[in-house]
């Protein structure tokens, strides 16, 4: 389970980086509505990942929290490094968006962990 979880975490981090590198300007538009949509999508996608992690990795329900924690760690570490060097990774984006990016990543992974813990605690 550990290797699969960590591998999935690296894959998700790579997908997030590719998504923001290719379509970053679409995520960071001026106004409240795009901001709200980004965080709503982050919550939905994170919750969905957390609720489905047991099925994705084929682990027992009680192990879902542990599996999601192992999946989240590589992504959170990578996103912390990216956030500290935001302008290097995303030169087409305003460097001041590093805080929004970091918040969005914490939001996504927090909801993923919450969803997995919910699954793990259900009887």
């Amino acid at each position: 389970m550990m290797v699969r979880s960590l591998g999935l975490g690296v894959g998700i981090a790579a997908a997030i980086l590719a998504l923001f590198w290719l379509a970053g300007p679409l995520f960071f538009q001026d106004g409240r509505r795009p901001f709200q949509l980004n965080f709503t999508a982050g919550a939905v996608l994170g919750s969905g990942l957390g609720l489905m992690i047991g099925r994705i990795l084929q682990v027992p329900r009680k192990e879902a929290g542990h599996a999601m924690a192992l999946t989240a760690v590589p992504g959170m570490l990578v996103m912390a490094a990216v956030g500290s060097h935001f302008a290097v990774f995303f030169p087409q984006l305003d460097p001041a968006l590093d805080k929004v990016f970091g918040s969005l990543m914490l939001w996504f992974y927090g909801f993923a962990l919450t969803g997995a813990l919910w699954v793990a605690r259900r009887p």
Side-chain angles (χ1 to χ4, degrees), residues 40-59:
T40 300
V44 169
L45 292 172
S47 296
L49 176 62
L51 293 170
M52 298 295 295
I53 195 72
R55 290 184 184 157
I56 293 169
L57 295 175
Q58 300 174 352
V59 297

Side-chain angles (χ1 to χ4, degrees), residues 4-74:
R4 287 182 296 168
S5 297
L6 292 171
L8 179 62
V10 170
I12 290 170
I16 291 170
L17 287 176
L19 181 65
F20 277 90
W21 190 74
L22 293 171
L26 297 175
F27 287 97
F28 299 115
Q29 297 179 2
D30 291 332
R32 288 178 39 191
R33 185 72 57 203
F35 181 82
Q36 293 167 341
L37 290 173
N38 284 340
F39 277 83
T40 300
V44 169
L45 292 172
S47 296
L49 176 62
L51 293 170
M52 298 295 295
I53 195 72
R55 290 184 184 157
I56 293 169
L57 295 175
Q58 300 174 352
V59 297
R61 180 179 288 194
K62 292 203 179 261
E63 295 292 320
H66 190 255
M68 188 65 237
L70 286 170
T71 301
V73 165

